[in-house]
Amino acid sequence: TCGICVEKCPFDAIEIINLPSELTEDPVHRYGENAFSLYGLPVPEPGKVTGILGPNGIGKSTAVRALAEEIVPNLGDYSQEPNWDAVLDRYRGTELQNYIKRLTEGDMAVAKKPQYVDQIPKQFDGKTRDLLERTDERGELDYLVDELSIRPVMDQDIDSISGGELQRVALAATLARDADFYFLDEITPYLDIGQRVKAARLIQELAEDDEADRSMLVVEHDLAILDLLADSLHVAYGEPGAFGVVTDPKSVRNGINEYLKGYLTNENMRIRPNAITFEEHAPRETTARDVLVEYPDLKQSYGEGEFSLEVEGGTIRQSEVLGIVGPNGIGKSTLAQMFTGSVAPDEGDLDFRLDISYKPQYIEIDQPMRVDTFLSSITDDFGSSYWNTEVAQPLQLNRIMEQQLTDLSGGERQRVAIAACLSKDADLYLLDEPSAHLDVEQRVQATTAIRRYAENHDATVMVIDHDIYMIDLLADRLMVFDGEPAEHGHASQPQEMRAGMNDFLADLDITFRRDERTGRPRINKPDSQLDRQQKKQGEYYYAP
Ligand code: ADP
Ligand code: ADP
Ligand code: MG
């Protein structure tokens, strides 16, 4: 047993070697006998953005439902009707006392942005404008609509707009409200980096409005954005589905550093056996590897002058991981489709005979079939100890092997699709947005799996993604897209990381510095001394 459940753990939870002190106390909430238990609550702070960092299924939404008065925490005793007086007693003298007091006095207006924006069209029938106008409680809607570039879809039906547009509409709808406590459950899905940074700035702006004393609580799995956005950070850890612990607040810098290290200092808790580390300096000019493929200049356009793409011819080297970055709607997926042969370029011939294993951005694995049946139909290695260590374990597939493909959540489908892609025998592996729908721990594990797979198989990999930490950890070289989204796109030749990052980030007007202790990249405050200095030197990522 893990020491929490009285009987044998129904979840096959990990062994906890040193039980953190939180867990010897009663939980904040327990859903029932042998059901999920939550330990600890985040503390919303007026005028501040508080972040929560941790995997899914660990109780983040449960904590927020308590803070939004949607459930009354039962303090572990699920046999009796819970009441707020008991909760108030428990938190007397702590930082949460004031918050809970105001909440129970009905003096706390709450606005929430849901995690799964794809559900919105199922709940709302109408045009973007109709949805947004009902939320305009502060008279700031026009501003938000412009800042988030929603104007072009204002008169479209909600069920006809893209995921990235839905996400921005959901953000605008939440931030337009006049609330005391805002809860944003993930802000980055479907957004490109420019849009992520914009969303982060709008949230900070709202928190910084001195007169209103608003508290913002944000769950986010993109570490670069979380780092930029939050003023303080709770790390959440435990065993998804079984129990979760929300730590006391840490500084954002320490919280992320400890998370990456896999060890929480104050809690004396190891949350991962291995540390995640970044290379502080640009990788040396990669030594001339063999050429896997050379491709010519390519051109492609859709419709009559709707969208056109120009690709500079270049080389992909044997055994490299090539990162591909650029805004949404700029032609990244189109390039992937030209490589796999499903889109024939208008100009330029791609007549290489390569076996390409492709994970598309929008995953279609909807056969009525179990996960294990599906994966064993792809590779004979299925079930071998080698495949288990390299693929199944890091992608956390064991728990979902017996489920039907049609029943999987977004994150589960993504992991199965990554596994299927890597399990094929191919010359080139092409993954379009592998981080989508994954929580922070799954991203870290998926990155390790892809990287290790490339190294052990001398495999060549191309990865399109918007998560800069994932790209940094994965890529040897970069291909950068620029242009005007939905109008015209341009793809550079694959470049060395330094040159590629400089190109990409100059376009976005964002610079990164390095964390002194861990070397991980951190976004500079715009117009800070470092930001100005690095821009002058043209070093946007690997500061000299
Ligand atoms: P997160 O937001 O971190 O993904 P949640 O708070 O949504 O986590 O869920 C934590 C755990 O609690 C999950 O295993 C979930 O299945 C369980 N859970 C959520 N709501 C209920 C409920 N009403 N009854 C029983 N279990 C629940
Ligand atoms: P990215 O992957 O960079 O987001 P895409 O390659 O998916 O960009 O799309 C680039 C542009 O081409 C977008 O404006 C998109 O709407 C358009 N587009 C993509 N596929 C098609 C298609 N099959 N027919 C018409 N337009 C398309
Ligand atoms: Mg795409």
Side-chain angles (χ1 to χ4, degrees):
T1 69
C2 68
I4 294 153
C5 311
V6 183
E7 287 148 76
K8 184 175 160 9
C9 175
F11 303 100
D12 283 330
I14 42 157
E15 245 179 274
I16 296 188
I17 295 142
N18 46 359
L19 201 63
S21 61
E22 287 96 329
L23 297 191
T24 56
E25 295 164 11
D26 285 333
V28 177
H29 192 72
R30 174 172 286 158
Y31 280 113
E33 198 179 347
N34 292 340
F36 180 84
S37 307
L38 172 69
Y39 298 80
L41 284 175
V43 188
E45 235 190 296
K48 296 271 161 66
V49 181
T50 306
I52 310 184
L53 171 62
N56 283 332
I58 208 92
K60 301 183 302 295
S61 302
T62 303
V64 167
R65 287 174 66 205
L67 295 178
E69 220 184 349
E70 289 169 20
I71 56 172
V72 188
N74 61 23
L75 307 178
D77 184 359
Y78 47 85
S79 63
Q80 289 184 28
E81 210 38 47
N83 69 80
W84 279 106
D85 288 339
V87 180
L88 206 50
D89 264 351
R90 159 101 169 243
Y91 286 96
R92 208 171 292 287
T94 73
E95 313 228 9
L96 267 176
Q97 178 180 347
N98 258 337
Y99 182 92
I100 294 174
K101 195 153 168 289
R102 276 186 63 189
L103 188 68
T104 53
E105 284 165 359
D107 187 25
M108 189 69 78
V110 180
K112 284 169 69 162
K113 191 202 78 66
Q115 180 175 19
Y116 300 109
V117 293
D118 323 61
Q119 305 290 326
I120 296 173
K122 291 178 192 150
Q123 289 149 13
F124 182 86
D125 202 15
K127 301 202 185 300
T128 304
R129 181 184 302 283
D130 308 327
L131 186 151
L132 286 178
E133 274 171 0
R134 308 196 297 187
T135 64
D136 190 14
E137 296 171 352
R138 301 189 296 114
E140 291 288 331
L141 185 61
D142 269 341
Y143 170 70
L144 291 167
V145 163
D146 285 330
E147 289 292 299
L148 291 165
S149 313
I150 297 170
R151 194 73 62 199
V153 300
M154 282 298 265
D155 291 305
Q156 284 186 31
D157 286 328
I158 281 288
D159 63 5
S160 75
I161 67 178
S162 73
E165 287 157 353
L166 263 183
Q167 185 69 267
R168 274 140 47 216
V169 168
L171 283 164
T174 313
L175 299 181
R177 295 203 176 275
D178 186 12
D180 304 294
F181 173 49
Y182 293 77
F183 172 60
L184 300 123
D185 198 349
E186 287 200 66
I187 63 170
T188 64
Y190 305 114
L191 301 188
D192 62 38
I193 298 187
Q195 296 164 336
R196 291 174 186 205
V197 169
K198 171 67 79 175
R201 300 246 151 90
L202 290 172
I203 293 167
Q204 283 173 324
E205 232 175 73
L206 191 53
E208 281 162 9
D209 179 350
D210 285 343
E211 269 127 67
D213 263 355
R214 309 177 199 279
S215 338
M216 323 293 289
L217 186 64
V218 183
V219 173
E220 182 48 52
H221 302 296
D222 179 328
L223 291 176
I225 297 300
L226 183 66
D227 187 35
L228 172 74
L229 172 64
D231 297 303
S232 66
L233 189 64
H234 297 268
V235 178
Y237 68 92
E239 180 63 16
F243 71 94
V245 183
V246 177
T247 67
D248 287 341
K250 300 169 184 286
S251 74
V252 180
R253 176 175 173 228
N254 272 344
I256 295 180
N257 284 354
E258 290 182 9
Y259 171 78
L260 289 169
K261 209 160 106 194
Y263 179 73
L264 306 180
T265 310
N266 281 349
E267 292 73 16
N268 183 22
M269 187 70 203
R270 180 152 291 288
I271 55 170
R272 194 181 330 102
N274 54 313
I276 309 296
T277 51
F278 291 86
E279 273 189 60
E280 203 164 328
H281 305 286
R284 251 179 265 141
E285 297 269 308
T286 36
T287 41
R289 286 178 174 155
D290 291 345
V291 169
L292 176 78
V293 70
E294 267 180 69
Y295 56 92
D297 289 353
L298 302 167
K299 281 191 182 165
Q300 169 68 14
S301 56
Y302 292 117
E304 295 207 0
E306 271 168 35
F307 175 79
S308 63
L309 171 67
E310 277 183 50
V311 180
E312 276 177 42
T315 16
I316 298 170
R317 298 171 184 164
Q318 182 73 49
S319 313
E320 74 174 338
V321 180
L322 184 61
I324 301 178
V325 292
N328 280 333
I330 205 80
K332 301 182 301 299
S333 296
T334 299
L335 177 76
Q337 287 160 356
M338 293 198 287
F339 268 68
T340 61
S342 65
V343 167
D346 299 338
E347 283 178 43
D349 258 347
L350 284 173
D351 56 356
F352 43 71
R353 264 152 305 204
L354 287 181
D355 279 332
I356 297 181
S357 181
Y358 175 44
K359 188 206 77 67
Q361 177 174 12
Y362 301 103
I363 301 162
E364 284 160 25
I365 43 165
D366 283 333
Q367 303 108 301
M369 197 189 274
R370 271 169 50 156
V371 171
D372 48 5
T373 318
F374 171 66
L375 289 173
S376 59
S377 75
I378 287 173
T379 173
D380 292 338
D381 290 337
F382 178 85
S384 69
S385 69
Y386 162 79
W387 187 85
N388 280 339
T389 330
E390 299 280 280
V391 179
Q393 255 175 39
L395 293 169
Q396 301 174 10
L397 297 181
N398 292 325
R399 238 181 289 157
I400 55 172
M401 281 295 185
E402 292 170 15
Q403 288 186 33
Q404 294 290 324
L405 291 175
T406 44
D407 293 342
L408 299 179
S409 72
E412 290 165 345
R413 285 154 65 92
Q414 185 70 268
R415 275 138 56 210
V416 170
I418 296 172
C421 177
L422 294 182
S423 295
K424 286 181 190 140
D425 230 347
D427 307 304
L428 180 62
Y429 296 83
L430 211 171
L431 297 116
D432 196 345
E433 291 204 27
S435 76
H437 305 300
L438 298 188
D439 69 35
V440 64
E441 188 61 19
Q442 290 162 347
R443 286 177 200 205
V444 159
Q445 305 289 3
T447 307
T448 313
I450 296 168
R451 182 82 232 174
R452 201 189 304 157
Y453 186 89
E455 278 161 10
N456 292 351
H457 291 248
D458 276 336
T460 306
V461 184
M462 293 167 79
V463 181
I464 300 172
D465 214 279
H466 295 298
D467 183 324
I468 204 98
Y469 278 27
M470 193 150 186
I471 288 291
D472 183 293
L473 290 166
L474 274 170
D476 300 309
R477 293 197 302 156
L478 268 191
M479 185 189 246
V480 180
F481 278 71
D482 58 13
E484 193 56 47
E487 286 176 21
H488 56 91
H490 165 266
S492 74
Q493 292 186 2
Q495 317 177 54
E496 301 301 328
M497 286 304 282
R498 166 176 265 140
M501 282 294 195
N502 284 341
D503 254 21
F504 175 50
L505 296 173
D507 219 29
L508 287 167
D509 207 33
I510 295 171
T511 59
F512 282 78
R513 66 186 179 287
R514 295 282 156 170
D515 182 66
E516 284 155 35
R517 194 145 4 118
T518 62
R520 88 179 146 85
R522 310 187 69 190
I523 297 177
N524 283 324
K525 277 213 164 34
D527 223 28
S528 64
Q529 200 187 335
L530 270 178
D531 184 59
R532 276 181 287 147
Q533 183 189 336
Q534 285 182 231
K535 281 176 182 162
K536 213 160 86 195
Q537 293 166 321
E539 293 289 359
Y540 283 74
Y541 198 68
Y542 299 102

